[in-house]
Amino acid sequence: GFDAVEEFHAAKKILFGMEYGFIHRTVRFAAILPQTLMLLISGASPGVYYFTPVVASLISTFFLFRTSVLIIGRIPAFIVVALYSVFPQVMVDGVHPRVSSFSVMYMLIALYFLVLFFRRCTQNSTVSGSRLLVGAAIAVFLMYLAKEDTLVFLPVFFLMVWESRRRLADLMLFGGLLLFLYFGETLLYAMLTDFTLGRLDVIRSGHLENINLIPVKSVLHLFDRFR
């Protein structure tokens, strides 16, 4: 798709130090920088376009398997991974560097850390688990850096943290680190670019000021695009 191609070109622009424009697609750095790294390692070959999502897909599959083992055991986990691997959308994302290829990878990493945290807390409520929460928060932030609308899953992650042992300190560590990373990112935008509000400013400049905006009569009309 066009988005995947543009993000791949953005990765090449970073690698070669070319002029870089900020729009909503080119600020998805958690999807762009892994491609830049792969280009740096493998050379600026067109084949890298397909290789990077394969690596992301393998990492996603690994963490899906590990998470499934924690929840339902090894044999059912193999079935889950097999069904996941043949899902049409997953097969497409596995060979195209879409933002979903990377955002799903980060989401599954975060899910693994949180499920492991839940398991350890239920076995021993006095266990620290701070490293797992830090790892989960970083993975969630990378998920957001890959695609903004993945934040729809954020309440689920907070609920998992809370239900692990119902400690406010866990929520403060998890949420506090996310806020710290978000404000740090926004500060970098304010210091280095003209977008003082960070990615929100970038998105607003490309969407909310578009002369072709179509009014929406109700929330339900947002789903008309899926007809």
Side-chain angles (χ1 to χ4, degrees):
F2 179 75
D3 284 14
V5 172
E6 184 163 4
E7 284 144 15
F8 183 68
H9 286 164
K12 296 180 74 173
K13 287 180 179 179
I14 293 175
L15 180 64
F16 295 111
M18 300 169 64
E19 184 178 354
Y20 199 90
F22 289 94
I23 61 174
H24 70 283
R25 285 187 291 269
T26 61
V27 296
R28 294 167 175 167
F29 289 110
I32 294 171
L33 291 180
Q35 297 182 70
T36 303
L37 178 62
M38 196 62 69
L39 285 166
L40 181 64
I41 295 172
S42 305
S45 167
V48 179
Y49 176 90
Y50 300 100
F51 185 65
T52 311
V54 169
V55 174
S57 180
L58 290 173
I59 295 173
S60 299
T61 303
F62 171 78
F63 278 98
L64 175 63
F65 175 75
R66 295 293 299 170
T67 304
S68 301
V69 168
L70 290 173
I71 299 173
I72 56 178
R74 184 172 295 272
I75 300 302
F78 276 111
I79 299 174
V80 169
V81 168
L83 293 174
Y84 172 81
S85 300
V86 298
F87 191 74
Q89 184 67 39
V90 173
M91 295 176 70
V92 173
D93 287 352
V95 291
H96 292 282
R98 296 179 171 184
V99 287
S100 53
S101 306
F102 300 95
S103 60
V104 168
M105 176 184 70
Y106 298 126
M107 182 183 69
L108 289 172
I109 293 173
L111 185 62
Y112 170 74
F113 283 134
L114 290 178
V115 170
L116 186 58
F117 176 73
F118 180 86
R119 287 288 299 272
R120 290 186 178 178
C121 288
T122 53
Q123 294 170 359
N124 181 6
S125 62
T126 62
V127 70
S128 173
S130 57
R131 292 183 180 180
L132 294 174
L133 288 178
V134 169
I138 293 173
V140 170
F141 183 72
L142 290 172
M143 180 185 75
Y144 151 76
L145 282 184
K147 203 170 194 299
E148 303 83 0
D149 53 13
T150 53
L151 290 178
V152 69
F153 296 107
L154 198 56
V156 177
F157 293 136
F158 273 104
L159 184 61
M160 290 181 67
V161 174
W162 173 249
E163 288 297 331
S164 295
R165 55 183 173 184
R166 297 177 180 267
R167 281 182 53 181
L168 184 60
D170 294 335
L171 286 178
M172 292 179 64
L173 174 60
F174 182 72
L177 182 55
L178 285 174
L179 283 176
F180 174 78
L181 292 171
Y182 172 75
F183 285 121
E185 178 209 21
T186 303
L187 180 61
L188 285 176
Y189 274 105
M191 293 172 57
L192 303 176
T193 73
D194 296 328
F195 299 103
T196 55
L197 297 179
R199 293 180 75 187
L200 290 177
D201 226 358
V202 177
I203 295 170
R204 181 188 58 81
S205 67
H207 286 76
L208 299 183
E209 295 180 357
N210 195 315
I211 61 174
N212 296 319
L213 288 176
I214 301 174
V216 177
K217 297 179 181 179
S218 72
V219 174
L220 293 177
H221 287 183
L222 292 172
F223 296 94
D224 288 346
R225 62 183 297 183
F226 300 108
R227 288 182 176 179

